[in-house]
Structures are given as structure tokens and as C-alpha cells.
Amino acid sequence: MKFRCERDVLVEALGSATRAVSTRGGALPVLSGVKAELKGDSLVLTGSDLDLTIQVSVTVAGEADGVAVLPARLAADIVRALEPGAVHVEVGESEARIASGRSHFGVRLLPADDFPRVADAPADEVTLDAGALVEALRQVVPAASHDDARPILTGVYMTAEADGLRLVATDSYRLAVRDLSGVSVLAEGQSVLVPSRALGELARLLGDAGEVSLRLGERDATFEAGEFAAGGGSGTGTRLTTRLIEGQFPNYRQLIPESSANRLTVGREPLLDALRRVKLLAREATPVRLSLGPDGVELSAVTQDVGQAEEGIDAKYEGAEMVIAFNPEYLADGVEAVEGDEVSLETTDALKPAVVRSVERGDYLYLLMPVRVS
Amino acid sequence: MATPSILHVDMDAFFAAVEVRDDPSLAGKPVVVGGGGDRGVVAAASYEARIHGVRSAMPSFQARRLCPGAVFVTARHARYRQVSDAVHRLLLGVTPLVERLGLDEAFLDVAGARRLLGDAPTIATGLRRRLHDELGLWCSVGVAPRKLTAKLASEAAKPEAGPTGVAPGAGVVVVGLDDELAFLHRHPVEALAGVGPATLPRLRRLGVRTVGDLATLPRATLEAALGQAAGRRLYALARAQDDRPVVPAGRPKSVSHEETFAGDRHGVEALVPEAVRQADAVAARLRRAGVAGRTVHLKVRFGDFRTITRSCTVTEPLDRGHELARVVRRLLATVDVSAGVRLLGVGVSSLTDSGSAQLRLEDQGPGWAEVTTAVDAARRRFGESAVLPATVVARGRAPERPRP
């Protein structure tokens, strides 16, 4: 394999593909590598940890076809460190030579035969607006769990609703629900559970892509953006393949309260700013307290032996005066995810879930359990 | 150490005094705190009861025989802890260097507080009065240059219950650097920690009755009679050599539990009940200490003594048995246990106060929180094995006792 390519093109492609490369060595050493496959002028880079695979295709000046697996982090670090300009890559028997200007590197290869094959995606594909999907993912993915002890909760539940697609995620402390109306990806009654890590990467990869295609297999989901060139085509694009999570997502509907007695309406930015300040004094897992009353809301935090903070915000409040406490990060995640200038916070009492939503839009809901304070 | 700066504060008949404070009608009466029924043991007795010979750890029936007129009350440990916390807060007002021993004792190092609050005897007298004025409880305070002698001094300051009545104690006894050795040497040798039923006869054979007698013996003699470690230790104590500092009890850094099996266990199935039981025990201890932790550790020692540890960190601090067990089981699943396991250990670190708890969506309605509270209450009353995880009970046999 031999090709020439602009440094910046290669830096970006390596950066994307290596995001799927497993960070903890693991049982299969070859997974610490990135696979490079050249056919004509099309170079496909693949990184994988078996659960998640990211492939990037770019157009280069190809001289000799071939396949090789390079140590991913090292290759990315080398290319990033080079001076801007053309990079020459040539792969020999056991070594890849990377050169630019007067810099020359020789890097030992990993055994290409050991690299896992990427599952073939089914032919049926649906196309989604990438911008809308990215926005929805940004709102839902943070609510998913990172705790591998409950694998089901590490996924985002994608389910067909009457007029579109619904995304749901929960880590059992909060729950985010987002509807994408008019998007029919799944057949009625169909649902899949997609690892949130993969969707987080997808949102990052899509960037300013216009459209994204989705193909659902038995065990995998494949997302593609741009002109991904597989098997000899040419073009610049990205493909992300993720294993699906098996199992029954919890019955989230029964968790959402039908109505709430108290409702706070407050500016999104002022609330986020105040939270950002007050949480400086909410250390060692202490919560931020919200005192809700006719004058609005006052945020406060006390950390024993450290200090305390208070801040009042003008807001509209209908309901009984009450104090309710939240993990400030969880509350900020929900408020941040809301679209629009104003958010509403609906509560029942200090031990029941609160609902955060946009005042202007009804397509997003964030349910948050309070912190019980003694 | 020019002047004494170590205080030993010891509450007088603490549990009984709390009962009297909470129910003033008991004042002046013999009060015995203990388990209910005749099979219980006396946990504490007021001085009025001690006149009749009632002592801690005595069987209840014996106490009833000695003092038929005594008021018997059932111990309320949660309440004692609450009052003990109030005492502790008051002590912390003097100095942060407070080392708590159980519910009713503490060492204080007031070296740094003397400039503000006066010398150690003044601080001791003030503390004693404040504890009485603010909490209605009496204590005895020993002031000495060392923990060893401060503890003996507080004992000397105690009221004394004899057959004829209660003689009020000095309240505060101060032992200066100059008279420290003489004070120490006057004590019977069994006043030293570590001189018990095993050691005492051997010392008697050497003609030792008082600590002073002990101080005349050469180190070699003591080491020959008691073994090297114990001999060396008593040799030092007899010379008032005790440089243990006052260590304020912080939040524990970690809580763990491990157990060696009588025979090696093979296969995950044989280990899961043990792991679940240990997780449950660790969780109970976390709750007792008022902490919860985010990092869970599993330790496995194989038959050939090869030892491995696995750990993982979760988002929210854990202090419930079933939650901890879930993480432990997952860690266990990553270990190849086919070689046979000799020891299993479960631990939790990254601890924070559990004063506030992030609720879970599935917590709505009566759930694990209530179950856990009920389990803790049942165990306090009926013992640790009153409630066990189903995984453990399902094995159809009592939990195995640890190999000594």
C-alpha cells in the first residue's frame, strides 16, 4: 500500500476512526489498531472495539492498493505532529513508513488478519435529517447510564410512535424523552435499544452533515453520512456500526406524572447561570436546594466545613411554597437540553419526580428525581 | 510536653444517665439498661444500681436478684448515638483533635487550645460543667501528659458506688509530668490495657501486683515470661512510654469485609451467595457509619494464594445491599474462578456522607428505602442474621463461619 494525502485530511480521518478504538488493551491486541484499506484513490480507515465500529473514507492519491493495521494512537499522534502539507505513507512487510518533508517515521504493523470483520448492513435504509437527529441526541444521550452493571440503561430506546420516532434514555435518576415527528424509521410497534456511547459518537461525527441514513440489522445498526465509499467506490464519508443492546427497556410511561400541582416558569439562561455559580458550593455530593415561592426561586447550596451560596432568580411560580433539592449536574443537563428561552419545572412534592420542559415546544420532556435531604 | 495537654473524657454511667435525663421520674432510682427479659445482659447501670452490686455485662436475672427495686429499661442505641453525637459536637468546640472511643469516651489534645481557653485543667473543668449545663449529663475527666495516664486519671475522677452509698468523685483529676510516674506506679497492674486473665497469673508469679512492681523488672525477664511483643509493650507502659497521638476520627476511607472459606469454592455458583452476603454486610456497615461509596472492590484469593482484585466506580454512591451486590456479582463474573477460591472480599471506597440521597425513579412508593430501614431495625433488635438476602437463604443452610 502506498499513497499520498494532505496532512489535515488524514488527521481528521484518523481522529474519527480512532474514537472507536478500545482504550483498555483488552483480549485482542489488534483492536488497539486502525485498519487502513486502499483501493485506487479511496482510503478507508476503520477503528473498532467490537461493540462500536467507525469507518471513514477519504480520497487520496493512491499508488498501490493494500491493507494494513497501524497502532491507532501512535499513527494519529505522528500525523498530527507533522508540518502541514503532503504526507507520504508506504506500507512494507512489517512496517509502515510515514514521511513528510524531512520527517520520517517507521511504525511496526499489527497483524491485519486478526482485525474483526465489520458486519454487513442490510440493504434497506431510511434517511433522516442529520441536524434534527443531532439535536435530539444532544437532548437524550446525557440521561443514559454509564453503569455497565445495568446494560439496558446504557442504551437509548428508539421506538415508533404514532406520528414519528421517539428517543428515550434513563439512568434511573432522570429520564429524557424526545419526539421526532414525521420521522418513520421503525415499523409500528418496533423498537431498538442503541448504546448511548455510539449515539454520542454519531452526534459528534455528523457535525454539519445534511442527511444520515440508517440501516437496522438483527444485531447491529449502521449509520452513514456523506459519500461513504465501501469496496472500491470513491468519496468522503463516515459509517458507524454499533451492536444493539438486547433486553426489555423499562416501562418508562408509568413514571411520567400525569399532572403536577406546582409549576415554575423561569428563563433558561438565568437558571443555568445561577446553577453554575451556586453549584460551586455543592461539593461532595451535596445537592442544590430550590426554594419555590411567589417571588420566584432561590437556589442555595451548603457544603459542611466549606461554605454556602445563595442566589435568587425572578420567575413565575404557581403552587404551594416548597423546597426541593437536586443534583446540580442532573438539573443542569435537563435545563440545558431544553430548546427555547423559557423552561418550566413542574413538581408534586420534594420526594416526587420533577418535570422539566420547554415552555414553547412540546417535543421534549426531562424527568428528574430529587435528592432527599435530611 | 511541658504541661499536660491530653484529656480523657468519660461519661458517667452513660446509657443510664441518658435514660434518666429523658425520663426525670427515674432520677435518684437504681436504673438498669439492658436487653429485655431474663436472658439479656446489663448494658449499663446507674450508680444507684451499682450500690447493690449491679455491673455492666452481668446477666439480667442476676441484676434483678441483686436489686429487685431497680427500674429495668430496654437499651435504645439509636438514642444513645444521638446524644453521643451531641457530646462529640460540644467537644469539637474545644479542639478539632477529638478521638472518639465508642459512644461514651473520647481523648482530646488541647495543646493548641490552651492559649485561647486557658490551661488543660481549666478546659477540663469548663467542659465538665458545660456538658452538664447543656446536655444534663455528667462526665469524669482525666488530664495528663499521655493517653495512658489520662485514661487512668479519668477513672480516678469517677464517682464510686460502695455498699454504703455513692461517693461523688473528683470530677477532674490532673496528673502533671512530675507526678506522672508515681501516679502510674500506684495502680494495680491489671489497670494497664492488655493485662488480662492470660497475662495476670504470669505477672503474679513474678511477684508483680502494681505497675510500680512491673517497672522494676528487666525487659528480658518480661519478654521471657510474656513473649517478646507483650513483654516489650508492658516494659514501655510501666515507664509511661506511650506516644500514641490523639487521632480525630474522620470519615472512614473505605469499608470492607473478607472471609476465608473452610474449603476452596469452585465455580461462580458457589461464590455468589457469599458475595451477596458480604455485599449486604458491607452495605449495613456503610449505613451505620452514615456514609455511601462509589467505588466497589472485589478481592479473590485462589487456592494457590494467588490474589487478584477488581474494582469499578458507579455514578451515585451506594449504601444498599442489593445495589452493592449487583455490582459485586458483575465484578465476580469477570474473574475465572475455576481454579478454586480460598478467600473472597468485598469493599467500598470513595466514601461520602449519606446525609442526602439521590432518589431513583423506581423508588416511588414503598420500595428499597423502606425495606432497608426495616432490615436495619430488625437486625438491631434480633441480630445480624435476622434478615438475609434471598440468595443466601436459598442455599438452605446457615452462613459459613469464617476460618480463624
Side-chain angles (χ1 to χ4, degrees):
Chain A
M1 173 165 58
K2 189 176 176 187
F3 64 89
R4 182 166 44 82
C5 174
E6 276 302 303
R7 181 199 70 167
D8 292 345
V9 172
L10 205 51
V11 166
E12 205 186 314
L14 276 170
S16 295
T18 52
R19 291 197 59 88
V21 172
S22 107
T23 41
R24 42 196 131 159
L28 207 51
V30 76
L31 291 180
S32 67
V34 58
K35 181 177 169 188
E37 194 166 10
L38 182 68
K39 273 187 189 154
D41 282 343
S42 173
L43 175 71
V44 176
L45 299 177
T46 305
S48 175
D49 68 356
L50 296 178
D51 287 338
L52 172 66
T53 301
I54 295 176
Q55 297 175 283
V56 181
S57 74
V58 288
T59 304
V60 299
E63 289 176 40
D65 291 358
V67 181
V69 178
L70 284 74
R73 304 257 174 258
L74 185 58
D77 286 347
I78 289 172
V79 175
R80 201 178 309 119
L82 294 172
E83 294 288 337
V87 179
H88 298 262
V89 178
E90 189 174 355
V91 175
E93 269 295 291
S94 63
E95 203 179 68
R97 283 178 295 282
I98 304 171
S100 169
R102 298 174 68 180
S103 311
H104 298 268
F105 291 85
V107 175
R108 201 65 58 81
L109 299 175
L110 296 166
D113 292 344
D114 295 352
F115 203 84
R117 262 182 52 82
V118 182
D120 290 322
D124 290 347
E125 69 168 45
V126 286
T127 307
L128 290 80
D129 179 65
L133 181 63
V134 169
E135 184 193 275
L137 291 177
R138 188 181 62 75
Q139 290 175 304
V140 169
V141 167
S145 173
H146 302 288
D147 181 359
D148 293 332
R150 302 177 80 182
I152 294 208
L153 299 188
T154 64
V156 171
Y157 184 61
M158 301 173 81
T159 174
E161 281 292 301
D163 64 336
L165 176 69
R166 170 171 280 189
L167 306 183
V168 187
T170 179
D171 61 3
S172 86
Y173 308 113
R174 60 258 175 85
L175 170 93
V177 183
R178 169 66 202 262
D179 286 324
L180 279 163
S181 60
V183 176
S184 48
V185 172
L186 302 165
E188 203 176 324
Q190 195 189 2
S191 63
V192 289
L193 199 48
V194 188
S196 63
R197 176 179 161 232
L199 293 176
E201 292 298 341
L202 178 67
R204 183 193 292 266
L205 288 173
L206 287 179
D208 51 7
E211 283 188 334
V212 54
S213 75
L214 166 59
R215 285 181 282 170
L216 280 175
E218 282 278 301
R219 291 198 176 75
D220 306 275
T222 302
F223 297 86
E224 250 178 60
E227 299 290 316
F228 182 78
S234 72
T236 299
T238 312
R239 174 195 276 174
L240 179 147
T241 306
T242 173
R243 167 194 62 89
L244 296 174
I245 299 172
E246 284 172 45
Q248 184 69 45
F249 195 72
N251 179 4
Y252 68 95
R253 287 174 202 273
Q254 62 172 29
L255 299 173
I256 302 172
E258 283 176 7
S259 65
S260 308
N262 315 295
R263 186 168 194 260
L264 175 81
T265 309
V266 59
R268 177 177 174 274
E269 288 304 320
L271 179 56
L272 284 174
D273 287 345
L275 258 179
R276 189 166 43 77
R277 285 187 282 267
V278 171
K279 84 171 183 214
L280 294 173
L281 268 302
R283 307 213 299 208
E284 299 188 15
T286 57
V288 162
R289 285 163 210 246
L290 274 64
S291 307
L292 305 170
D295 301 332
V297 54
E298 185 175 281
L299 277 61
S300 63
V302 182
T303 304
Q304 205 161 17
D305 301 331
V306 179
Q308 73 287 327
E310 295 104 31
E311 180 163 344
I313 315 172
D314 291 333
K316 198 171 109 202
Y317 182 66
E318 300 152 85
E321 286 191 34
M322 65 184 295
V323 177
I324 187 166
F326 296 107
N327 174 324
E329 309 291 342
Y330 294 171
L331 180 58
D333 280 349
V335 175
E336 187 112 49
V338 165
E339 294 285 325
D341 295 336
E342 289 210 299
V343 296
S344 75
L345 177 83
E346 291 157 39
T347 59
T348 304
D349 64 45
L351 299 178
K352 295 269 168 44
V355 181
V356 176
R357 30 176 150 222
S358 164
V359 169
E360 293 110 78
R361 286 170 57 166
D363 56 5
Y364 177 69
L365 174 148
Y366 185 81
L367 191 66
L368 172 60
M369 278 309 271
V371 172
R372 176 168 43 78
V373 286
S374 46
Chain B
M1 217 182 285
T3 55
S5 72
I6 306 295
L7 268 56
H8 181 252
V9 177
D10 195 349
M11 306 305 294
D12 295 342
F14 182 57
F15 297 174
V18 172
E19 294 300 340
V20 172
R21 193 191 77 156
D22 286 354
D23 179 1
S25 74
L26 298 176
K29 293 183 186 160
V31 176
V32 178
V33 179
D38 266 356
R39 308 195 48 178
V41 166
V42 174
S46 72
Y47 286 95
E48 289 81 0
R50 294 187 198 189
I51 294 173
H52 301 275
V54 179
R55 294 285 180 270
S56 296
M58 173 183 280
S60 295
F61 72 86
Q62 196 182 343
R64 269 181 221 282
R65 211 159 43 205
L66 287 170
C67 186
V71 183
F72 284 77
V73 294
T74 307
R76 298 180 297 155
H77 289 282
R79 175 67 183 148
Y80 308 145
R81 166 153 292 278
Q82 212 174 20
V83 178
S84 171
D85 287 347
V87 171
H88 188 232
R89 277 196 294 276
L90 200 143
L91 298 181
L92 283 174
V94 171
T95 171
L97 290 177
V98 178
E99 180 176 339
R100 242 169 137 168
L101 300 169
L103 291 176
D104 58 350
E105 286 178 59
F107 282 114
L108 281 71
D109 185 341
V110 299
R114 285 180 299 199
R115 180 197 288 245
L116 274 173
L117 303 174
D119 63 5
T122 310
I123 293 175
T125 314
L127 254 182
R128 193 162 173 274
R129 197 165 30 238
R130 276 191 64 197
L131 276 171
H132 183 257
D133 292 349
E134 293 179 25
L135 299 172
L137 298 166
W138 284 113
C139 68
S140 303
V141 188
V143 183
R146 265 162 279 271
K147 280 182 165 180
L148 166 70
T149 38
K151 181 150 178 148
L152 295 174
S154 72
E155 193 56 44
K158 288 262 169 210
E160 229 168 295
T164 50
V166 182
V172 175
V173 165
V174 181
V175 177
L177 197 54
D178 296 338
D179 51 359
E180 188 183 21
L181 268 185
F183 172 77
L184 177 64
H185 287 174
R186 275 202 300 278
H187 282 81
V189 71
E190 55 267 39
L192 296 179
V195 178
T199 321
L200 197 55
R202 297 189 200 172
L203 289 173
R204 290 266 188 271
R205 249 173 273 145
L206 293 170
V208 173
R209 306 222 159 256
T210 66
V211 181
D213 298 339
L214 187 67
T216 62
L217 294 180
R219 176 149 71 188
T221 311
L222 282 173
E223 286 182 10
L226 307 172
Q228 208 176 41
R232 189 176 303 166
R233 203 179 139 268
L234 287 187
Y235 180 83
L237 288 183
R239 283 157 185 75
Q241 288 165 9
D242 171 30
D243 53 4
R244 292 170 298 157
V246 173
V247 184
R251 174 191 295 154
K253 290 261 185 296
S254 67
V255 172
S256 60
H257 188 96
E258 60 180 52
E259 229 171 276
T260 303
F261 306 127
D264 289 355
R265 296 283 174 91
H266 296 266
V268 175
E269 285 310 307
L271 289 165
V272 162
E274 297 299 336
V276 170
R277 195 162 58 77
Q278 290 191 14
D280 198 56
V282 168
R285 280 172 53 199
L286 288 170
R287 293 194 296 274
R288 220 172 301 145
V291 294
R294 291 181 51 217
T295 305
V296 181
H297 307 266
L298 176 75
K299 176 172 167 185
V300 178
R301 178 168 296 152
F302 297 98
D304 59 2
F305 281 87
R306 191 166 49 90
T307 305
I308 57 150
T309 56
R310 294 280 181 273
S311 67
C312 92
T313 299
V314 297
T315 334
E316 287 291 333
L318 305 175
D319 69 351
R320 294 190 201 160
H322 73 285
E323 294 173 344
L324 185 54
R326 185 161 47 76
V327 181
V328 169
R329 287 173 80 148
R330 185 164 58 87
L331 288 173
L332 186 61
T334 67
V335 180
D336 178 4
V337 293
S338 52
V341 172
R342 177 189 166 78
L343 171 148
L344 200 67
V346 169
V348 175
S349 62
S350 310
L351 305 183
T352 50
D353 288 333
S354 57
S356 53
Q358 169 69 52
L359 301 174
R360 292 168 177 273
L361 288 161
E362 64 254 32
D363 274 347
Q364 296 177 66
W368 282 106
E370 286 72 17
V371 170
T372 304
T373 312
V375 166
D376 285 348
R379 283 181 176 163
R380 261 198 306 278
R381 186 124 179 245
F382 302 110
E384 291 300 320
S385 56
V387 187
L388 291 171
T391 328
V392 176
V393 179
R395 305 262 303 175
R397 57 185 180 78
E400 190 169 332
R401 298 197 74 80
R403 193 192 278 178

